Amino acid sequence: LDWANRLWNWSSDVGFIDPDRFHVYDGADSRDNCSQTNYHSFTYTSGIYLYGAAILADHTGDQLWKTRTENLLRGAGWFFSPFENATNVMYEAACEKNNACTADMTTFKGYLSRFIWQTVKLVPSLRSEAEKWLLPSAKAASVSCSGGVDGHTCGQRWYVHGFDGIAGLGEQMCALETIQGLLIDDVDPPLKGDKIKVVRDTKWVPLGAATTTSKGHDEPTSTGDPQPTETEDSANVATAHLGLVLVSIATILFIF
């Protein structure tokens, strides 16, 4: 919590967070001690700060963090409604209009959508404000997913009322994140406080593979199942750990 406050104060002092409009800017350069702010702004940057503030509002119950969350959501509003005929539709303002989005930029709207939906879960009072933007965006995103040979490839610019001919992983991801947010009521909010547990016991096997009796021997889960050997148990654990490593690496590559 102390570092969260330090981060907020430093970001504000250096100019990354606009104190009036609560736009979040792209960054600065350490070579000049961050004295010159880059005033480009991307959807994901606002989303990261928004969700961070929402987590802290939920964790601390402090009105200060709730107010910051409210302000950041309002500040993210400049990423919606690029044209009069596309009311409250999300767009990547820094690159979409001039077709200059790089591969990573095409994923950014997905992050903002995800973070806004998750913010609603943590600060429910912001739901109507969030849905004012996300519902039209989800509808526009679904309409964009009408291209390609399969007829459901998603486009990049949702404000054109259809598939714009620009497709890729980022475009698919952004549409998915925005649309699947409509299922937010079907999931529990993130764990917090004493509900978060650190599990250090790695002697486990996948669900349905085996159970352990009071004697410490593995028993089949159903009649006729072969009893796992110690080697198989180790292989299960190793495979699970490898899977977690691969998922982590994929996540890091996807983000950066």
Side-chain angles (χ1 to χ4, degrees):
L1 181 59
D2 177 60
W3 273 104
N5 282 302
R6 291 189 191 189
L7 176 63
W8 178 274
N9 292 336
W10 182 83
S11 297
S12 298
D13 292 344
V14 81
F16 292 169
I17 304 174
D18 188 309
D20 300 316
R21 296 179 294 177
F22 284 87
H23 297 166
V24 180
Y25 300 118
D26 191 48
D29 195 325
S30 60
R31 289 173 296 185
D32 60 9
N33 199 30
C34 299
S35 60
Q36 300 294 322
T37 298
N38 175 5
Y39 289 105
H40 282 99
S41 185
F42 296 95
T43 48
Y44 86 98
T45 318
S46 290
I48 289 172
Y49 275 81
L50 170 65
Y51 185 46
I55 289 174
L56 289 161
D58 176 66
H59 177 70
T60 65
D62 191 336
Q63 180 61 42
L64 175 62
W65 281 109
K66 183 180 180 183
T67 300
R68 287 171 174 172
T69 306
E70 294 168 347
N71 288 335
L72 285 166
L73 180 60
R74 187 180 71 249
W78 72 331
F79 293 116
F80 297 81
S81 297
F83 300 105
E84 291 183 0
N85 65 340
T87 304
N88 293 346
V89 173
M90 187 189 303
Y91 76 116
E92 198 63 56
C95 66
E96 278 190 8
K97 287 186 176 181
N98 57 359
N99 293 325
C101 296
T102 60
D104 59 336
M105 293 176 189
T106 66
T107 70
F108 290 169
K109 289 186 296 186
Y111 304 127
L112 179 59
S113 293
R114 181 194 308 172
F115 290 138
I116 292 180
W117 282 121
Q118 291 178 329
T119 293
V120 166
K121 202 69 179 179
L122 294 166
V123 187
S125 60
L126 294 178
R127 179 156 190 159
S128 61
E129 182 75 8
E131 288 187 341
K132 178 181 71 176
W133 294 325
L134 291 180
L135 295 183
S137 294
K139 183 176 181 180
S142 67
V143 172
S144 83
C145 297
S146 56
V149 295
D150 55 11
H152 54 256
T153 296
C154 303
Q156 180 181 108
R157 296 169 296 178
W158 300 341
Y159 51 83
V160 301
H161 303 291
F163 180 64
D164 65 351
I166 304 174
L169 174 62
E171 287 77 11
Q172 297 293 117
M173 172 184 153
C174 289
L176 174 63
E177 288 286 358
T178 307
I179 296 169
Q180 74 178 0
L182 299 170
L183 302 174
I184 193 70
D185 291 328
D186 296 335
V187 297
D188 295 325
L191 297 176
K192 67 174 183 177
D194 59 1
K195 298 292 181 67
I196 301 174
K197 305 293 184 183
V198 177
V199 179
R200 302 189 185 279
D201 180 12
T202 59
K203 297 179 180 179
W204 58 274
V205 292
L207 290 176
T211 57
T212 302
T213 67
S214 59
K215 295 181 180 179
H217 299 295
D218 289 328
E219 294 284 335
T221 56
S222 61
T223 303
D225 287 344
Q227 180 174 323
T229 64
E230 183 176 351
T231 302
E232 288 172 337
D233 283 346
S234 299
N236 285 333
V237 173
T239 301
H241 286 179
L242 176 59
L244 290 173
V245 170
L246 292 175
V247 168
S248 299
I249 293 173
T251 302
I252 292 170
L253 292 174
F254 209 39
I255 291 175
F256 294 99

